[in-house]
Amino acid sequence: MIGIYLKYFSITTYFFTSIIFCQSTIPDLITDRPDVTESAVTVPIGSFQVETGFSFQQQKINEFGETLENRSISLFSTLFRYGVFRNLEFRFGGGYFSNKSILGQYASSVHGINDLMVGSKFVLRNQEVFLTNFALLFEVTLPFGAEELKPEKFEPKFMLLGEQEINEFSALAGNVGVEYS
């Protein structure tokens, strides 16, 4: 039985690695996660990139003789990116959020799908000497998901994304934008 699984695993691994290594060029992988700053670079034409992760946070606060404990986890915080044109990508993302708060003997929790969004990124400058990469990002958070977590209406966001390469190994990046909520 183990031999059959090993055989299928070997064939599958060979098939996928041979496809990967048959590509003539492999583009740089530049992600928009897990950091806060969005990159000023789009994915290549026809490329589909999936970025996902999770975060866990736990807080314990003691004030006025009461203890507030808060635990939250964000699972499958995922961003799908697809390169439509040389300087344009479409984006879709969302995640699952769970939170439990305890105050003394009282507890409350909320969980479900949140932050479902669609958007696009357009690169204005690419690989220049000054202001190496510069792009525009437009996203809309949709009123979809768990009742307690979803926005009441569409929430548009517009950002200017900038990046300056310092040397081969480092760059300085920043974002400025507005969000209506």
Side-chain angles (χ1 to χ4, degrees):
M1 190 68 162
I2 293 175
I4 293 172
Y5 289 123
L6 186 58
K7 180 179 175 182
Y8 286 123
F9 176 75
S10 298
I11 292 170
T12 305
T13 303
Y14 174 76
F15 175 73
F16 284 115
T17 55
S18 64
I19 289 173
I20 291 170
F21 290 115
C22 289
Q23 296 177 1
S24 59
T25 60
I26 299 174
D28 291 337
L29 180 64
I30 300 173
T31 65
D32 281 348
R33 294 183 181 239
D35 60 8
V36 176
T37 306
E38 301 280 348
S39 74
V41 178
T42 56
V43 295
I45 298 172
S47 294
F48 183 71
Q49 186 167 307
V50 179
E51 303 170 17
T52 190
F54 75 95
S55 65
F56 175 77
Q57 182 178 7
Q58 183 170 344
Q59 298 172 313
K60 199 171 199 177
I61 302 169
N62 292 311
E63 283 191 19
F64 308 111
E66 292 289 330
T67 300
L68 172 64
E69 191 172 340
N70 190 33
R71 284 181 241 139
S72 63
I73 188 165
S74 179
L75 294 173
F76 312 115
S77 177
T78 304
L79 174 64
F80 299 96
R81 301 168 65 191
Y82 180 73
V84 181
F85 299 114
R86 183 175 160 261
N87 291 338
L88 178 69
E89 76 177 26
F90 287 148
R91 308 157 63 85
F92 174 77
Y96 179 84
F97 179 78
S98 179
N99 183 68
K100 183 173 185 177
S101 298
I102 303 169
L103 178 59
Q105 62 186 18
Y106 303 102
S108 67
S109 64
V110 62
H111 58 275
I113 294 174
N114 73 326
D115 292 338
L116 194 61
M117 72 83 185
V118 295
S120 62
K121 184 191 299 184
F122 181 74
V123 174
L124 300 172
R125 292 174 60 93
N126 192 7
Q127 299 300 319
E128 301 292 332
V129 175
F130 178 72
L131 197 55
T132 309
N133 297 308
F134 191 69
L136 302 173
L137 175 72
F138 178 73
E139 293 179 349
V140 177
T141 302
L142 306 173
F144 178 81
E147 195 63 37
E148 302 91 355
L149 300 171
K150 73 179 183 180
E152 294 178 13
K153 58 190 177 308
F154 291 93
E155 296 181 345
K157 175 170 66 171
F158 175 78
M159 295 177 71
L160 300 171
L161 317 174
E163 178 184 301
Q164 177 62 51
E165 287 185 10
I166 297 171
N167 59 38
E168 184 180 344
F169 304 105
S170 60
L172 182 64
N175 303 157
V176 176
V178 293
E179 184 172 350
Y180 178 76
S181 54

